[in-house]
Amino acid sequence: QVQLVESGGGSVQAGGSLRLSCTASGYTYYMAWFRQAPGKEREGVAVIDSGDRTHYADSVKGRFTISRDNVKNTIYLQMNSLKPEDTAMYYCAADNTWSLLWPNGRTNNWGQGTQVTVSS
């Protein structure tokens, strides 16, 4: 099981930007960001594999960018043009099996989460 540690959350006004980071204790082929807002189900935000192939939720396409540093076992989520509806706890997850990670996050490998709050 891989350990995941997120950082970079915070509070920002609508239209602003934040960058999240997630460092894994070891190599994992697929890594992803999920989010969960109060009263809502967890949803996949973006996923990346070790070859830098990416997939995004429709709600963040064109605004968020996921990237990866395989040497550091770290992924990033650059979030631009943030909206109040982006407010959520953001979680990093990882797995070597695609179907366990995306889109439903059935993996057991999760970080502790980092809060993102966007005010209008």
Side-chain angles (χ1 to χ4, degrees):
Q1 190 166 353
V2 63
Q3 307 300 317
L4 301 164
V5 179
E6 303 104 330
S7 62
S11 297
V12 65
Q13 289 191 328
S17 298
L18 284 173
R19 188 192 194 210
L20 307 183
S21 300
C22 170
T23 298
S25 59
Y27 169 82
T28 310
Y29 192 80
Y30 300 106
M31 296 184 73
W33 290 99
F34 288 77
R35 67 186 181 186
Q36 188 167 20
K40 294 188 176 181
E41 292 189 356
R42 183 178 62 203
E43 64 172 344
V45 176
V47 61
I48 188 168
D49 69 18
S50 64
D52 289 337
R53 288 177 288 267
T54 60
H55 182 77
Y56 295 91
D58 288 343
S59 58
V60 305
K61 281 180 181 177
R63 300 188 298 122
F64 291 10
T65 302
I66 189 171
S67 61
R68 178 170 184 154
D69 184 332
N70 287 326
V71 174
K72 297 181 179 179
N73 290 326
T74 297
I75 62 169
Y76 306 94
L77 187 67
Q78 178 66 44
M79 305 184 293
N80 298 329
S81 302
L82 281 161
K83 305 175 181 180
E85 51 264 43
D86 294 317
T87 295
M89 185 71 80
Y90 283 70
Y91 297 92
C92 176
D95 209 287
N96 289 316
T97 302
W98 172 262
S99 60
L100 290 178
L101 184 63
W102 193 264
N104 297 316
R106 295 188 291 117
T107 181
N108 291 324
N109 302 316
W110 293 91
Q112 81 285 355
T114 186
Q115 179 67 38
V116 171
T117 302
V118 184
S119 58
S120 57

